[in-house]
Amino acid sequence: MITAFFYRALGAKLYWVVGLLLAAAILIPASNLLLPVGHTLRVPNYAVALMGKYLTYAMLALALDLVWGYVGILSLGHGAFFALGGYAMGMYLMRQIGSRGVYGNPDLPDFMVFLNWQELPWYWWGFDNFWFAMMMVMVVPGLLAFAFGWFAFRSRVTGVYLSIITQAMTFALMLAFFRNDMGFGGNNGLTDFREILGFSVQAPATRAGLFAATCVALAVSFVVCSAITKSKLGKIMISVRDAESRTRFIGYRPEYVKLFAFVVSAIIAGIAGALYVPQVGIINPGEFAPANSIEVVVWTAIGGRGTLVGPIIGAILVNYAKTWFTAAYPELWLFALGGLFVAVTLFLPKGIVGTIGDYFAGRRERKLVEASDTPPPDLPVMRPQNAESYRGETRPQPAE
Amino acid sequence: MLYVAPLWPAGHLSRKGGDHSFLCRIRTITVLAKRTACLISPLAGEMAGRPEGGAKERSPMSLFAGLLAFILLALAILPAHAQSVEDLVRQLPDGSFSDRGRVVQALAATGDARIAPLLESLAAGDLNVIEETGRIVTTSGRGDTVTATDALTGEEIGEVASAGVERIRVNNSLRRAVRTAVGQLTLMSPDAGTRMSAARAMFQAANPDNVELLDEAIAQEENPAVLQIMQEARAVAILRSDAEPAAFAEAVDVIVARGDRQALGILQAALSSADADVTPTIDAGISAIQRHLQLLDVGQNVWYGISLGAVLLLAAIGLAITFGVMGVINMAHGEMVMLGAYTTFVVQNMIRASFPELFAWSLAFALPAAFLVTGLIGIAIERGVIRWLYGRPLETLLATWGLSLIIQQAVRTTFGASNREVSNPFWMSGTFDFYGIAITWNRFWIVIFALVVFAGLLFVLKRTSLGLQMRAVTQNRRMASSMGIRTPWVDAMTFGLGSGIAGLAGVALSQIDNVSPNLGQGYIIDSFMVVVFGGVGNLWGTLVGAMTLGVLNKFLEPYAGAVLAKIFILVFIILFIQKRPRGLFALKGRAVDA
Amino acid sequence: MRGMRRTLIAGIAASLLVSAAGSAAAQDEGPIKVGVLHSLSGTMAISETTLKDVMLMLIEEQNKKGGLLGRQLEPVVIDIASDWPLAAEKAREMYEVNGVDAVFGCWTSVCRKSVLPVFEELNGLLFYPVQYEGEESQRNVFYTGASPNQQAIPAVDYLMNEEGVERWVLAGTDYVYPQTTNKILEAYLQDAGVAPEDIMINYTPFGHSDWQTIVSEIKAFGSSGKKTAVVSTINGDANVPFYRELGNQGVDAADIPVVAFSVGEEELAGLDTSPLVGHLAAWNYFMSVDTPENAEFIETWHAFIGSEERVTNDPMEAHYIGFNMWVGAVEKAGTTDADAVIDAIVGVEVPNLTGGTAVMLPNHHITKPVLIGEIQDDGQFDVVWETEDLVPGDAWSDFLPESAVLEADWTAPINCGNYNTQTQTCGGAQAAAN
């Protein structure tokens, strides 16, 4: 019965995505660890780390889609939440190095030692503890999103203005984290990690475990996002996206709806960042760069915003293309990426998933119309892909 | 080595009235020669050093006495002198830089008229030594053989193999020695500009030994600006000597009157060696200068702020059209700026290759070229991409971001990844002084240029039919269309105009920044901040926004440092937008309330 | 619809798996692969593209000579796009997918730091060609650029002794190399008797373009009557506007000389240098150095790149030395196996381009001459001073208290990158013993 409820409420799509992710969480690590090196079905270490990274990006794109695709907030600063989560994890990993740093100082990370820091700054306290760090992974981006959203949404900063100030936020954070005086390692960031929860970060088993954890985290985020968007709140979110003023006139408080989505999204982005860091082995202020956040927007757009599967596919596809191009045709990589952005915005305005969805929805409708004149009984309640509603975002309304 | 002692009394052979270059040169030489002579031949020094009794007005007698002294002196030391100049010049390539610095001092002390040009070419790195003969020459031409000219005598030596010629190396300390030496030698040059730089050199290297020389020069100087520097140089020299308190106090006054940072440093140094009764004067002078400098600092910061604001304005004003007026989030705006800078590079290269005489005015050719190139590219972008995206502003962001990547990489492939050299024309180099505020010419012209562009744009928008149509289309596209305005054409023109102005900004920025494929990236975020802060769709807002952010940044920078200042500005903008969600000068009316 | 979606997702997953599974097994025959790991796009492309080209040239030249161990060399070029986590990923890809035997790459410290764990884990070889802050010695990395004692300290000595400088501005971009170098210099200057108020330290962000305030601060600091010099660790891109502002505000090299550690021929290529004549740079190589080796190198470079305009610079020489050392070590070991090469390479001597020899030291740094050059109006440097002997690179600075006791030695019996000479233990064991 509960299954049936979920099935009705969340749709079959959910099962596919979650099932696939969980299967990947089991099969890929198993193939990597159990099969002998050289076996055709074995996933090499390199690919495990790479796919783990893609999945964290997918999670970040999913988080962005929750606010952009469903509430119409185009955040050009989501990289900041990702990076903050990453830094929280990085700080935990730094503390795990303990006295095994090059200077053998048990109290201070190496970069503080050679810049003559005498004691650990207060904001590093507590990061020795894994659970505290994991809490911070969610609390820090969540708090920033709350503070930022609280002011911005109540002041009714919308559209382009909001996008630009989110960009200002991530840019300011980037400059701040570049400063060595901040105590986050400056430009070099945090690196040279040894252990996570007592397991060596370089061991294949740890990598496989991190990969599985990422799959699970993505699956959970997907379920959460689905649940939110399919709930009553989700409908209000969509109405805020499509007609904020009207929603307000009906009596809803769009600012709280936006704030909720923004904070949830920031927390998911933070968790993605935390999973990203041990898999790539470094976190540095470059992650805050505005260009990175714009790239996330592009993944989402390419995959199809307003669909939860879209951003996941977009993130994986674009990053896979990046991996392939930078190795195969390094000189052509930017041409290809740039061309892809232009082509997708021009020819696939709803992204890959949106376009495919439209195609099938259209075909099914035609079939149904052919079959009978009665309206289809089980059409999806919401069709966020609706073309007109998209264009409403910040379109200047004709002055009557 | 020789040491030039201050044996020569002041006031000798000075005169008022029309200066005569020949006499002047003679006199310079005489003074210096006599001072040298004091060391080389005490007898000659005594003879030549006979006091003249402060002959102020020109009299046949004094002229005669001077000439006589000169001749006597020349006779006394000529052989030694001639030999020593030749010998000393030959020593120029040898030894360490400090040894050679002493050779330069000795050369200056000879007072030979040929020394100043020789030393100047030494400092410029133009002197060479022919390895075989040890002769010091200047060379011209390129290739395997070069034409050599004796540096001292100007005698043509003819072709020599360039492999056998070695350049005489100079470093900063040697250049300093040369500067001081040339200063001593040219302090009484007929040309006021030369005397000015000589006086400046004497000020930089003020030395008690030079007091009489300066007195000499001061007595016959007529140009008030040069005179002032000379007096200041003399004052510094006195402050560094153990002069009597009266002279010391007088010198303090001169330096206090100068009133700049260097004066402050000099006074602070003098404080240690001053008598107790002069100390209060110096203290008062120091605090007066400090007050003055604080005031100047404010003025200087305002100027720095305005010039930063002008750069921001230039970078943002094209965006104010494409983003502000058309609503296109044009992430390729920075690349238009970059293309403008590269156009400047190409134009300069073409001019350098074909019409080198026009090079100083290359920017005048680059401006229309850059406007056309970027304007046409802008129109192409509008026709090819943007026009499909009207009404979807956030999607224009993605498409233009893609375009910016393509343009960047295309430039990198065409011109290479490294910086390209765009040179400053002479009228954009150097500094001028505006009531104590140092203003660099390039920043000055950029401020002027930014304001001209702003005024021009305002004119186009308010006074031309294109501007009228642009505003009409922005306000109500459908209505404008039904009134017979060709909206697609207006769109293309507007985007072309915005891009063309970005190209103009590129020409200006090529004068202060790197011309590299990354040029645009550095300005795009700042540009958006300026437009959003000022208020989208309002040109005056862009002007006020740019200037406010520029001045604010420059006032924060000395206290917070460059990084923190920038962070504060960003936080300030974020907070400001909360207060005024549509920027400083928000457009009013229903049209904007999406 | 569902069917289609399933196929799509399955297809993507499968293509990922297949492509990822294509990792190359170790190949003993066929060409020896050499990885070139530089940024060809993004902010660092400006400096690193040239290094990629020089590596391709060196590999081509080596192949003309008959390759290495009778096998041809094959370059594997991957763009890391100035994205440092990507650099780590690409380094791994080079080893696991392309099967390279050695990697030449990175420019920034953060790039090196980011790929370091990968080289450690996969037991690879990285030749790092840029001057850096020191405080590191890793078994799998060879530092062919200068450490601070091969650049910063001799330059300061020169200014103190030859120019009589008493007052110092340490200006840098805010990242780890300037921070560490300035810490070392500050300690060194104070040891030499410079008062703390005669040292001004200033940091600016990357790509800083408005230098008006800072240049006027430098002028103000330099007007106290004491001879002042600026030690600049300002990073690449920010230098052009910095020098332009210096020139325009009339800061004459004869009054306030600027000695730079990150400005070479390549950076000056974007600049009219006539107002800058006399400002200094400290490097281990200048294009203007007059030796037969250098003339040949420049000629080969011009022929390879197809332009007489292109300059050469210090990191290019570092790659030249590093590549020849690797070739020498592989020949000595008779194999490209990393452990054998690491053992063989210590002590390998190759000629550098300035007429001396570079020796790989046990701490994986090399010996270098230190040259001080003055900027000329043609964009070249004129050497005004050089060290008499080659200076061995020092991994751990003697002027930082924590690192003074450390030393690196990758030969038996120590075999340690951070050996504590006081406790005679390797690494963090000191603390563990307490």
Side-chain angles (χ1 to χ4, degrees):
Chain A
M1 198 189 121
I2 294 168
T3 325
F5 166 76
F6 265 108
Y7 193 88
R8 255 207 320 277
L10 305 173
K13 206 187 329 181
L14 181 94
Y15 284 100
W16 278 109
V17 176
V18 173
L20 212 75
L21 283 170
L22 294 182
I26 297 166
L27 291 180
I28 291 177
S31 134
N32 172 254
L33 295 176
L34 302 179
L35 294 176
V37 174
H39 194 283
T40 32
L41 285 180
R42 180 178 182 269
V43 182
N45 297 345
Y46 154 74
V48 173
L50 202 59
M51 285 189 279
K53 193 177 99 168
Y54 292 170
L55 290 181
T56 59
Y57 284 153
M59 225 170 128
L60 173 59
L62 179 69
L64 178 75
D65 190 45
L66 184 67
V67 289
W68 186 30
Y70 288 90
V71 201
I73 304 167
L74 175 54
S75 164
L76 294 182
H78 249 55
F81 303 125
F82 182 79
L84 285 173
Y87 264 98
M89 177 58 115
M91 285 158 83
Y92 162 72
L93 294 171
M94 283 311 269
R95 300 304 294 144
Q96 291 308 294
I97 298 172
S99 61
R100 282 165 297 179
V102 291
Y103 299 104
N105 187 317
D107 302 320
L108 294 179
D110 284 340
F111 70 87
M112 291 188 188
V113 176
F114 74 64
L115 293 178
N116 291 345
W117 288 54
Q118 295 309 318
E119 56 181 27
L120 201 65
W122 59 267
Y123 43 81
W124 276 77
W125 294 347
F127 277 92
D128 308 49
N129 183 301
F130 180 75
W131 300 110
F132 176 80
M134 288 312 100
M135 219 170 71
M136 286 298 130
V137 161
M138 292 183 270
V139 167
V140 173
L143 262 185
L144 176 68
F146 184 80
F148 190 88
W150 176 262
F151 289 112
F153 300 140
R154 278 164 53 100
S155 315
R156 300 191 190 172
V157 181
T158 51
V160 174
Y161 288 90
L162 190 72
S163 302
I164 300 292
I165 62 169
T166 50
Q167 189 174 44
M169 173 190 79
T170 193
F171 190 53
L173 280 170
M174 179 181 84
L175 292 174
F177 274 75
F178 262 126
R179 300 185 69 230
N180 276 286
D181 295 344
M182 284 280 286
F184 293 108
N187 178 42
N188 275 12
L190 309 175
T191 177
D192 203 19
F193 307 134
R194 304 285 162 102
E195 281 178 0
I196 177 166
L197 285 173
F199 302 104
S200 158
V201 286
Q202 294 188 350
T206 317
R207 288 184 184 284
L210 282 167
F211 174 79
T214 313
C215 289
V216 172
L218 181 58
V220 170
S221 317
F222 190 81
V223 172
V224 168
C225 290
S226 296
I228 292 174
T229 52
K230 298 280 156 91
S231 69
K232 185 161 168 275
L233 179 66
K235 290 172 193 168
I236 303 170
M237 279 161 59
I238 291 169
S239 68
V240 168
R241 176 191 75 191
D242 292 344
E244 186 176 338
S245 305
R246 285 180 217 181
T247 315
R248 183 176 288 116
F249 297 151
I250 293 170
Y252 292 105
R253 301 289 297 270
E255 54 270 32
Y256 295 135
V257 176
K258 285 176 163 183
L259 190 59
F260 172 76
F262 200 56
V263 172
V264 170
S265 167
I267 291 175
I268 295 176
I271 297 172
L275 287 162
Y276 169 82
V277 170
Q279 299 191 67
V280 300
I282 184 169
I283 175 81
N284 85 320
E287 297 298 331
F288 286 104
N292 282 20
S293 296
I294 293 177
E295 249 184 68
V296 182
V297 173
V298 171
W299 304 336
T300 312
I302 287 176
R305 79 192 128 115
T307 69
L308 292 175
V309 185
I312 298 180
I313 291 176
I316 293 176
L317 268 189
V318 175
N319 280 292
Y320 177 66
K322 187 171 183 173
T323 302
W324 185 73
F325 257 108
T326 46
Y329 302 102
E331 315 276 348
L332 294 181
W333 149 240
L334 285 180
F335 288 123
L337 185 70
L340 185 68
F341 294 175
V342 177
V344 165
T345 24
L346 286 185
F347 303 118
L348 296 176
K350 295 177 200 171
I352 296 167
V353 173
T355 308
I356 294 172
D358 266 9
Y359 175 71
F360 282 99
R363 211 162 71 167
R364 189 166 53 171
E365 265 172 46
R366 273 198 303 279
K367 264 186 199 160
L368 286 164
V369 171
E370 279 163 23
S372 74
D373 281 343
T374 49
D378 198 25
L379 269 185
V381 188
M382 295 309 300
R383 291 240 311 278
Q385 302 94 321
N386 183 306
E388 272 315 303
S389 62
Y390 260 128
R391 298 178 180 207
E393 257 170 3
T394 51
R395 179 183 54 170
Q397 288 176 356
E400 282 117 52
Chain B
M1 279 290 156
L2 295 169
Y3 174 64
V4 182
L7 291 177
W8 199 246
H12 158 73
L13 264 190
S14 23
R15 68 189 163 87
K16 292 199 184 248
D19 198 1
H20 191 276
S21 67
F22 170 72
L23 273 178
C24 174
R25 200 173 302 142
I26 293 277
R27 228 174 261 128
T28 314
I29 294 165
T30 327
V31 169
L32 286 159
K34 278 183 288 192
R35 292 173 58 200
T36 316
C38 300
L39 297 160
I40 295 168
S41 154
L43 179 67
E46 226 168 88
M47 288 164 67
R50 196 168 47 218
E52 289 291 329
K56 280 285 176 200
E57 68 272 21
R58 189 177 181 179
S59 72
M61 194 55 208
S62 72
L63 184 63
F64 173 74
L67 279 174
L68 185 69
F70 176 63
I71 291 161
L72 279 175
L73 172 94
L75 284 176
I77 62 167
L78 203 57
H81 173 205
Q83 198 184 4
S84 85
V85 169
E86 298 293 332
D87 278 356
L88 284 170
V89 168
R90 273 171 190 271
Q91 285 172 24
L92 273 178
D94 308 328
S96 73
F97 285 113
S98 45
D99 291 342
R100 292 158 57 196
R102 283 190 285 274
V103 174
V104 168
Q105 280 175 11
L107 272 175
T110 62
D112 193 306
R114 300 166 300 177
I115 295 300
L118 179 94
L119 289 181
E120 269 162 3
S121 38
L122 172 69
D126 292 339
L127 281 196
N128 298 277
V129 57
I130 298 181
E131 279 165 2
E132 229 174 283
T133 57
R135 216 162 163 183
I136 308 297
V137 294
T138 57
T139 58
S140 59
R142 267 188 177 185
D144 288 342
T145 58
V146 288
T147 317
T149 315
D150 190 292
L152 195 61
T153 59
E155 172 197 347
E156 285 271 343
I157 296 174
E159 299 273 301
V160 285
S162 47
V165 178
E166 199 178 352
R167 206 163 72 83
I168 301 179
R169 290 187 169 177
V170 278
N171 75 346
N172 284 320
S173 54
L174 197 54
R175 258 184 232 110
R176 262 198 311 281
V178 168
R179 192 173 66 185
T180 314
V182 171
Q184 289 175 359
L185 288 167
T186 57
L187 202 54
M188 276 163 272
S189 143
D191 175 50
T194 314
R195 291 203 305 279
M196 184 60 128
S197 45
R200 290 225 172 94
M202 299 305 286
F203 179 83
Q204 291 300 337
N207 184 330
D209 302 350
N210 293 330
V211 172
E212 311 83 51
L213 181 63
L214 281 164
D215 281 334
E216 191 82 28
I218 286 166
Q220 56 176 289
E221 186 55 61
E222 287 161 347
N223 183 322
V226 180
L227 187 65
Q228 192 192 345
I229 306 280
M230 285 178 175
Q231 274 162 345
E232 284 163 5
R234 181 178 177 276
V236 182
I238 287 179
L239 288 185
R240 287 180 186 166
S241 70
D242 37 358
E244 61 201 56
F248 203 87
E250 206 178 304
V252 166
D253 291 341
V254 174
I255 297 300
V256 171
R258 181 181 165 104
D260 65 353
R261 228 172 266 285
Q262 263 183 322
L264 190 66
I266 292 162
L267 289 179
Q268 276 163 347
L271 205 53
S272 56
S273 65
D275 279 353
D277 37 333
V278 199
T279 317
T281 329
I282 298 183
D283 277 334
I286 286 177
S287 48
I289 293 180
Q290 273 168 342
R291 273 196 307 278
H292 179 63
L293 284 180
Q294 265 167 4
L295 209 65
L296 271 189
D297 269 352
V298 174
Q300 189 81 61
N301 274 336
V302 170
W303 165 251
Y304 288 156
I306 289 174
S307 74
L308 176 63
V311 169
L312 290 175
L313 175 65
L314 270 176
I317 195 163
L319 196 69
I321 301 281
T322 52
F323 172 52
V325 177
M326 298 181 79
V328 174
I329 306 182
N330 184 9
M331 297 304 284
H333 173 75
E335 276 54 49
M336 295 294 140
V337 175
M338 184 258 288
L339 286 175
Y342 271 93
T343 312
T344 317
F345 165 71
V346 172
V347 168
Q348 279 202 346
N349 265 8
M350 277 160 52
I351 290 182
R352 195 178 284 149
S354 317
F355 312 99
E357 66 279 3
L358 288 176
F359 191 72
W361 308 108
S362 56
L363 290 187
F365 296 96
L367 283 175
F371 186 82
L372 278 180
V373 169
T374 52
L376 287 176
I377 293 176
I379 291 174
I381 291 177
E382 202 278 340
R383 290 287 84 189
V385 178
I386 308 283
R387 71 164 158 152
W388 309 104
L389 302 173
Y390 285 117
R392 295 190 281 160
L394 295 180
E395 282 172 40
T396 58
L397 180 147
L398 304 184
T400 50
W401 175 253
L403 284 173
S404 86
L405 294 182
I406 293 175
I407 296 173
Q408 262 185 56
Q409 190 64 13
V411 168
R412 199 171 279 133
T413 319
T414 323
F415 292 95
S418 45
N419 286 336
R420 289 287 153 172
E421 179 187 337
V422 172
S423 27
N424 292 16
F426 70 91
W427 46 273
M428 281 189 85
S429 312
T431 321
F432 71 96
D433 190 84
F434 178 79
Y435 294 107
I437 297 171
I439 293 179
T440 50
W441 279 112
N442 66 347
R443 298 271 175 187
F444 175 78
W445 287 118
I446 283 172
V447 171
I448 299 290
F449 180 66
L451 295 177
V452 168
V453 169
F454 178 79
L457 196 55
L458 216 54
F459 177 81
V460 169
L461 281 184
K462 299 273 155 121
R463 292 274 183 273
T464 64
S465 68
L466 174 67
L468 187 68
Q469 295 181 357
M470 272 161 64
R471 285 182 292 143
V473 171
T474 319
Q475 278 173 15
N476 192 329
R477 176 175 298 273
R478 270 190 227 164
M479 179 68 85
S481 181
S482 12
M483 302 295 282
I485 294 175
R486 287 158 61 203
T487 52
W489 182 82
V490 174
D491 286 335
M493 284 301 124
T494 315
F495 201 84
L497 179 68
S499 304
I501 287 173
L504 293 182
V507 179
L509 292 183
S510 74
Q511 293 298 307
I512 50 172
D513 208 338
N514 290 297
V515 180
S516 78
N518 302 330
L519 171 69
Q521 294 287 297
Y523 289 95
I524 184 73
I525 292 179
D526 288 344
S527 306
F528 270 104
M529 297 303 150
V530 167
V531 175
V532 164
F533 175 70
V536 175
N538 189 318
L539 276 190
W540 286 102
T542 308
L543 175 73
V544 175
M547 289 301 164
T548 315
L549 295 183
V551 174
L552 203 60
N553 196 335
K554 282 298 163 186
F555 271 90
L556 282 172
E557 205 179 306
Y559 307 102
V563 190
L564 273 184
K566 197 146 193 189
I567 296 173
F568 286 145
I569 294 284
L570 290 167
V571 172
F572 167 76
I573 292 173
I574 294 176
L575 294 177
F576 184 86
I577 292 296
Q578 317 295 339
K579 192 75 195 152
R580 293 183 71 102
R582 303 221 163 261
L584 206 53
F585 292 86
L587 278 188
K588 297 203 170 59
R590 272 182 293 185
V592 291
D593 192 18
Chain C
M1 176 185 175
R2 278 178 204 151
M4 178 63 191
R5 189 169 287 155
R6 181 174 24 179
T7 336
L8 180 77
I9 294 170
I12 291 169
S15 74
L16 269 174
L17 279 174
V18 169
S19 69
S23 93
Q27 299 157 316
D28 281 336
E29 290 313 313
I32 298 176
K33 291 184 174 174
V34 180
V36 180
L37 193 69
H38 283 297
S39 294
L40 309 178
S41 58
T43 49
M44 289 313 294
I46 182 172
S47 307
E48 295 193 52
T49 312
T50 319
L51 291 187
K52 178 218 44 170
D53 291 332
V54 90
M55 279 313 299
L56 294 182
M57 176 186 96
L58 291 168
I59 291 168
E60 191 184 290
E61 291 297 307
Q62 188 67 30
N63 282 337
K64 279 185 199 159
K65 287 186 226 160
L68 182 58
L69 302 180
R71 293 157 64 185
Q72 287 285 294
L73 296 177
E74 182 188 313
V76 176
V77 179
I78 295 188
D79 177 16
I80 52 176
S82 311
D83 175 353
W84 315 126
L86 188 68
E89 177 193 317
K90 292 296 168 189
R92 190 178 287 279
E93 186 180 327
M94 279 193 165
Y95 271 92
E96 296 199 343
V97 179
N98 302 104
V100 298
D101 287 306
V103 174
F104 293 78
C106 278
W107 180 288
T108 57
S109 283
V110 54
C111 174
R112 191 189 68 249
K113 291 270 185 206
S114 132
V115 301
L116 213 132
V118 177
F119 282 90
E120 204 167 31
E121 180 190 337
L122 304 176
N123 195 19
L125 298 173
L126 172 69
F127 289 82
Y128 174 70
V130 183
Q131 92 280 14
Y132 82 117
E133 66 277 2
E135 304 300 296
E136 188 183 302
S137 176
Q138 215 273 342
R139 181 168 175 268
N140 303 88
V141 183
F142 300 94
Y143 307 83
T144 52
S147 59
N149 73 318
Q150 289 174 312
Q151 200 183 17
I153 290 185
V156 165
D157 277 339
Y158 169 81
L159 286 175
M160 238 186 308
N161 301 332
E162 295 283 325
E163 299 252 359
V165 173
E166 298 166 308
R167 217 164 141 86
W168 303 83
V169 180
L170 309 180
T173 302
D174 188 6
Y175 71 108
V176 66
Y177 168 67
Q179 289 266 3
T180 318
T181 306
N182 288 347
K183 281 271 179 312
I184 292 173
L185 287 182
E186 199 182 355
Y188 181 76
L189 288 173
Q190 289 185 359
D191 280 357
V194 177
E197 68 266 19
D198 283 337
I199 300 175
M200 168 176 140
I201 298 182
N202 182 296
Y203 291 109
T204 39
F206 281 95
H208 192 63
S209 62
D210 191 293
W211 290 92
Q212 300 182 85
T213 310
I214 289 157
V215 169
S216 75
E217 274 171 10
I218 290 173
K219 274 173 81 175
F221 189 78
S223 64
S224 74
K226 285 185 184 171
K227 178 75 186 162
T228 306
V230 181
V231 177
S232 153
T233 38
I234 294 164
N235 180 269
D237 254 10
N239 274 302
V240 170
F242 174 61
Y243 278 107
R244 282 211 160 137
E245 193 67 38
L246 278 179
N248 280 321
Q249 291 207 19
V251 175
D252 189 353
D255 299 322
I256 304 180
V258 178
V259 59
F261 302 150
S262 315
V263 177
E265 290 84 351
E266 189 90 4
E267 284 75 18
L268 291 183
L271 208 56
D272 171 18
T273 53
S274 43
L276 305 177
V277 172
H279 288 305
L280 303 141
W283 286 107
N284 313 104
Y285 165 82
F286 287 111
M287 188 181 179
S288 65
V289 168
D290 189 14
T291 61
E293 294 90 353
N294 191 27
E296 190 194 328
F297 180 73
I298 293 171
E299 195 181 323
T300 322
W301 169 243
H302 284 164
F304 178 81
I305 207 77
S307 160
E308 296 280 311
E309 308 264 295
R310 294 291 293 273
V311 293
T312 57
N313 64 9
D314 182 273
M316 287 167 75
E317 191 222 16
H319 258 341
Y320 169 86
I321 294 173
F323 181 76
N324 288 338
M325 281 183 164
W326 174 71
V327 167
V330 169
E331 277 168 350
K332 191 167 147 193
T335 167
T336 56
D337 177 66
D339 289 325
V341 173
I342 289 170
D343 284 340
I345 200 167
V346 173
V348 166
E349 277 186 36
V350 298
N352 60 25
L353 295 177
T354 49
T357 48
V359 184
M360 180 57 73
L361 302 168
N363 63 5
H364 286 187
H365 291 60
I366 66 173
T367 56
K368 284 168 168 279
V370 185
L371 314 177
I372 311 277
E374 280 192 358
I375 298 176
Q376 301 298 301
D377 51 10
D378 58 356
Q380 290 289 328
F381 290 88
D382 195 4
V383 177
V384 292
W385 183 85
E386 62 187 289
T387 47
E388 283 168 24
D389 295 321
L390 294 170
V391 181
D394 198 358
W396 302 97
S397 175
D398 299 336
F399 296 94
L400 295 178
E402 300 263 356
S403 77
V405 296
L406 296 179
E407 96 180 14
D409 187 345
W410 286 108
T411 55
I414 292 179
N415 247 325
C416 175
N418 52 345
Y419 182 76
N420 191 316
T421 48
Q422 277 178 350
T423 59
Q424 309 220 324
T425 48
C426 182
Q430 175 201 12
N434 288 345

